[in-house]
Amino acid sequence: MLFQVEGVDAYCYTGGKSFDAALPTAVFIHGAQNDHSVWALQSRYFAHHGMNVLALDLPGHGRSKGGAKDSVEALASWLLAVLDAAGVARAMLIGHSMGSLIALETAHMAPDRVSHLALLGSTYPMKVSDTLLETAKTDEPSAIDMVNIWSHSSIAQKPSFPGPGFYAMGGARRLKQRISAINPEHVFYTDFSACNNYANGALAAASVRCPTLFIFGLRDMMTPAKSTKLLTSTIAHGKVVQVDSGHELMAEQPDAVLDALFAFAKAAPAA
């Protein structure tokens, strides 16, 4: 589904169902150098079980046009513009990694627009090493390979991956390479810089009043458990679920992530 936002196309996958703004809406927000497809199982299930779905391609990613935005605040403003274009007054926001910061900042900017908040593979501050930033800027293929290795646990390797015929690391690598191919303007560097420079997370977290869910990977090396305490202690009412995965938890443990998200969507009363 295409919307016109800031004069260019903004693409949202609706889970294989017609969009109906009258239904409760779940918005899925991907992380750096990804697109809506990382939510394939979760978004489709929501759409076929009574929820309206908008799984976004962020600007400069996937089918959404325009340049990649260089700050979390700009991405949150863009997300609110997408909700306006879709006619959605309130939504459940589900964000992974960089997408979790966008969801958090959106909840801070417009708390009345957010009914529920789910943050996956999240942390704050979400600092990126100088070496990785420089590699993303000067040698994007190497940065993709580095992050792809760090984002997966050993369970993602063939033949131990739980999904027969599916190679999590290979799929993730090809997706990041595809984003580079369709948009050569240093998207990875722009995304990483936005995460690294985001400075409003503590204030945004302190403002959250809606039901909140954290889903963390027990083997996550990108946003390890010890780095999540500021968020989980500040949003003290948030529920924490841990799954046996690395940072790419939607692919490594798709069913466990889906079960946690859908139970949260159905059980948590809207704020």
Side-chain angles (χ1 to χ4, degrees), residues 132-190:
L132 183 52
L133 279 173
E134 182 63 22
T135 304
K137 188 174 184 179
T138 61
D139 185 5
E140 191 167 84
S142 293
I144 287 172
D145 289 343
M146 292 161 64
V147 169
N148 199 46
I149 292 169
W150 295 335
S151 292
H152 293 87
S153 70
S154 60
I155 197 172
Q157 311 296 323
K158 287 186 185 180
S160 60
F161 184 72
F166 182 74
Y167 183 22
M169 285 192 73
R173 183 170 182 261
R174 290 298 295 138
L175 174 57
K176 290 178 173 64
Q177 290 171 339
R178 179 177 180 274
I179 299 299
S180 291
I182 63 177
N183 189 344
E185 299 298 323
H186 296 298
V187 173
F188 216 1
Y189 175 77
T190 302

Side-chain angles (χ1 to χ4, degrees), residues 65-82:
K65 305 302 182 183
K69 294 189 177 296
D70 62 4
S71 74
V72 169
E73 291 85 351
L75 286 160
S77 295
W78 177 87
L79 172 54
L80 289 169
V82 171

Side-chain angles (χ1 to χ4, degrees), residues 191-210:
D191 288 350
F192 277 168
S193 294
C195 295
N196 190 60
N197 295 334
Y198 180 55
N200 197 50
L203 182 62
S207 74
V208 171
R209 298 291 178 267
C210 65

Side-chain angles (χ1 to χ4, degrees), residues 12 29 54-55 59 64 74 129 135 150 183 243:
C12 301
I29 313 161
L54 295 174
S64 289
S129 73
T135 304
W150 295 335
N183 189 344
V243 298

